């Protein structure tokens, strides 16, 4: 499989997840291209890839600005090139996994859901099937917000994503690869 791994990371949590995905995909013997959209926001032919991962931190329920800006650029390209069709028909064999890192101090995982759905819409509009959505807990890094790490709805999230969180990312990546491979063979 030809796999794209896109991410935007403000405090390093999403980057940790992106690198775990990269290791798991490469370890499974697949080609992978990892792109930090903060450093490279160029338009990408998303239909060139069998599976795309896209991740961001969550900021007021949405992806971070680098991911939002990249998505806007991608949508403009898709519109200009008539890639968005009525009914958004599925493109066989094309999948995306959207993920985010979040702290959820007020309403927990519900704070992550809008960002996941928002990121998935770009791909859904192109006919790329949203295969999975992952939310990974990540502690607040800015000093003025660190008190939320021990007092929010999720309990104490200091030091997250931790080794167990990243192990789960590797396992989910492997499971998703196997699921798509099985689907493609059938």
């Amino acid at each position: 499989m030809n796999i794209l791994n896109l991410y935007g990371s403000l405090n390093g949590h999403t980057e940790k997840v992106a690198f775990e995905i990269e290791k798991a995909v490469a370890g499974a013997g697949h080609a992978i291209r990892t792109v930090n959209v903060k450093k490279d926001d160029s338009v990408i032919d998303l239909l060139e890839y069998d599976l795309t991962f896209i991740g961001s931190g969550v900021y007021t329920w949405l992806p971070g600005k680098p991911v939002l800006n990249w998505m806007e650029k991608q949508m403009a390209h898709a519109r200009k090139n008539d890639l968005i069709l009525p009914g958004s028909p599925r493109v066989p064999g094309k999948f995306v996994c959207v993920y985010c890192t979040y702290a959820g101090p007020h309403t927990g995982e519900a704070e992550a859901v809008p960002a996941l759905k928002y990121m998935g819409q770009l791909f859904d509009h192109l006919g790329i099937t949203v295969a999975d959505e992952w939310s990974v807990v990540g502690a607040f890094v800015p000093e003025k917000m660190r008190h939320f790490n021990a007092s929010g709805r999720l309990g104490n999230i200091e030091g997250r994503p931790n080794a167990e969180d990243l192990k789960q990312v590797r396992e989910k990546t492997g499971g998703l690869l196997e699921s798509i491979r099985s689907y493609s063979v059938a």
Side-chain angles (χ1 to χ4, degrees), residues 19-42:
F19 289 166
E20 290 301 318
I21 290 168
E22 181 179 61
K23 285 189 268 184
V25 168
H30 300 284
I32 185 163
R33 174 183 174 202
T34 298
V35 177
N36 178 345
V37 299
K38 268 178 75 173
K39 295 179 181 175
D40 179 0
D41 70 347
S42 58

Side-chain angles (χ1 to χ4, degrees), residues 9-166:
S9 187
L10 181 63
N11 295 305
H13 296 328
T14 307
E15 186 167 68
K16 287 178 187 176
V17 174
F19 289 166
E20 290 301 318
I21 290 168
E22 181 179 61
K23 285 189 268 184
V25 168
H30 300 284
I32 185 163
R33 174 183 174 202
T34 298
V35 177
N36 178 345
V37 299
K38 268 178 75 173
K39 295 179 181 175
D40 179 0
D41 70 347
S42 58
V43 170
I44 296 172
D45 180 358
L46 298 172
L47 296 172
E48 184 180 309
Y49 297 90
D50 303 307
L51 172 61
T52 299
F53 290 89
I54 182 167
S56 176
V58 175
Y59 306 93
T60 316
W61 318 300
L62 289 175
K65 289 198 187 306
V67 172
L68 289 172
N69 293 340
W70 179 84
M71 290 179 67
E72 186 175 309
K73 193 181 236 186
Q74 286 290 141
M75 279 298 286
H77 171 78
R79 284 186 187 105
K80 180 180 175 189
N81 291 284
D82 297 321
L83 297 174
I84 300 173
L85 304 174
S88 297
R90 299 299 87 194
V91 178
K94 303 299 178 183
F95 301 93
V96 66
C97 175
V98 295
Y99 70 91
C100 65
T101 55
Y102 76 105
H106 303 104
T107 62
E109 192 171 6
E111 294 181 36
V113 172
L116 294 169
K117 297 299 184 189
Y118 189 94
M119 288 187 287
Q121 280 301 294
L122 166 65
F123 296 87
D124 204 13
H125 275 72
L126 292 170
I128 298 170
T129 299
V130 179
D132 214 345
E133 300 173 336
W134 304 341
S135 50
V136 180
V137 176
F140 282 105
V141 173
E143 186 66 40
K144 67 181 181 179
M145 300 180 86
R146 286 188 189 166
H147 69 281
F148 284 123
N149 290 336
S151 63
R153 184 172 278 192
L154 299 176
N156 189 335
I157 62 168
E158 292 173 349
R160 298 202 46 203
N162 57 29
E164 180 58 30
D165 296 321
L166 298 175

